[in-house]
Amino acid sequence: MKFKTLLLLSGFLPFFALGQANDFTLSGKIGNLSKPAKAYLDYMDNGVSREDSTEVVDGSFQFTGPLSGVANARLALDHHGGGKQKAIYTGDVVYIYFSKEKIVFTSKDSLQNAVVSGSKVYDEFVAYNKQIGGTIMALTKAVNADFNSGTPEQQRDAAYIKAVDARFRNNIKAREAKQFLFAKTHPNSYFGLVALSESAGTSVDVAKVSPVYQALAQNLRDTDMGKELAQRIAANSATAIGSSAPLFSQNNVIGKPVSLEQLRGKVVLLEFWASWCGPCRAENPNLVKDYSRYKEKGFEILAVSLDQSKENWLKAIEQDGLPWLHVSDLKGWNNEVGRLYGIRAVPANFLLDKDGKVIASNLRGEDLNKKLASLFN
């Protein structure tokens, strides 16, 4: 459509440019890959989870999208048409950070061997990893090489396996110590926040972590990651043994609110899980037995799902035959109850007494069975 006066059109240009300024562009040129090759991008933008996919044509692909700050992302490239999950778990995948930039991946064969340009945030991410001893993926790759360097006989030997595992865990601990130091010495860096969040873990040492958190720049503490870490610090005290479990209300499978407070008078297992969590699903048969054994004696399970897909959530409940109470806000890792309780991994649980006080946490299998038997028998 053409207009006689350019003034009318130019009047819209600043608004259009403003909208584009909040976008990022991520593109790649990986060899000469074409259909059925496909690229998949999942990224977290200040607490909002986003995903996208695109076909690869003559090695080229491109993503654009909105971005409010710094994104942490997973980029996976499916070379042969095996699908997203295969690309993520057995294929060509990288984990990166970027901002409102034009980031470009260039390689003859793969994402993992690509040269990355156009992103100051990515360059800072690379420098950060050099200081802390590498990414988790790099340490995992190293431990696999360590294990594979052994003879077939060694690889079947329990002592050899234990020694390799011990070296790996020592490397993780050394990395966490360097992350904590990085956080202390880089209070104005986004990766100072990343370092503190990762090194703090789930069982936060409040006395150690809180002062470093308070020293971070206010704009970092105001990000979703900063707020989540603050919640985790608070949750560590709120969910300690003997504490009254934080109260909440969340909708069940038919959209009606269920509150923790309404379960007072019962022993409650507050179970955090998800349909996509293999270990969670593996524990469900044991929970079914315990529920059947003790429900008439005052035992209840309140399961909080970290799913995003309601269909997958309901399907898992039906498939596993889970007759207890279920709630979710379908926000994935941003589930409000999960954040309230400082959940960073599933399965996770808290066992509450009839007064709503925490009496145990993260009990599974025989440990849970024994604890319930001691309470009800």
Side-chain angles (χ1 to χ4, degrees), residues 202 228 232 272 306 333 337-339 341-346 348 350:
T202 300
E228 187 278 332
R232 214 182 327 145
F272 292 90
L306 303 190
W333 286 108
V337 180
R339 291 181 61 141
Y341 278 76
I343 301 301
R344 294 271 290 176
V346 286
F350 298 90

Side-chain angles (χ1 to χ4, degrees), residues 180 204-212 233 236-237:
F180 187 74
V204 180
D205 183 338
V206 176
K208 176 182 176 182
V209 173
S210 186
V212 181
I233 292 171
N236 191 74
S237 298

Side-chain angles (χ1 to χ4, degrees), residues 42 51 65 81 90 99 105 113 117 150 261 275 295 303 318 322 327 340 373:
D42 298 271
E51 61 179 331
T90 63
S99 189
F105 286 74
N113 292 329
S117 60
E261 189 172 23
S275 66
K295 66 178 181 177
E318 181 180 4
L322 311 181
V327 297
L340 177 65

Side-chain angles (χ1 to χ4, degrees), residues 170-185:
N170 286 338
N171 288 338
I172 293 293
K173 288 182 179 179
R175 180 178 184 269
E176 289 176 349
K178 291 177 181 178
Q179 284 181 305
F180 187 74
L181 179 60
F182 187 95
K184 289 181 68 174
T185 56

Side-chain angles (χ1 to χ4, degrees), residues 109-228:
D109 52 18
S110 67
L111 289 175
Q112 294 182 15
N113 292 329
V115 173
V116 182
S117 60
S119 172
K120 180 181 178 181
V121 170
Y122 179 82
D123 293 341
E124 291 175 355
F125 174 56
V126 172
Y128 159 67
N129 277 302
K130 286 183 179 178
Q131 291 199 43
I132 65 170
T135 65
I136 288 295
M137 287 187 69
L139 294 185
T140 302
K141 185 177 180 180
V143 73
N144 287 336
D146 187 9
F147 176 77
N148 291 329
S149 67
T151 65
E153 291 75 18
Q154 286 178 313
Q155 292 177 11
R156 292 191 294 268
D157 181 66
Y160 176 80
I161 295 172
K162 185 176 181 179
V164 171
D165 181 67
R167 287 194 291 272
F168 176 63
R169 293 183 184 279
N170 286 338
N171 288 338
I172 293 293
K173 288 182 179 179
R175 180 178 184 269
E176 289 176 349
K178 291 177 181 178
Q179 284 181 305
F180 187 74
L181 179 60
F182 187 95
K184 289 181 68 174
T185 56
H186 294 77
N188 297 311
S189 165
Y190 182 82
F191 291 102
L193 171 60
V194 172
L196 186 61
S197 178
E198 291 186 359
S199 62
T202 300
S203 300
V204 180
D205 183 338
V206 176
K208 176 182 176 182
V209 173
S210 186
V212 181
Y213 174 79
Q214 293 300 329
L216 291 174
Q218 185 64 51
N219 67 305
L220 297 176
R221 285 183 279 147
D222 287 341
T223 63
D224 185 73
M225 184 184 297
K227 292 175 181 177
E228 187 278 332

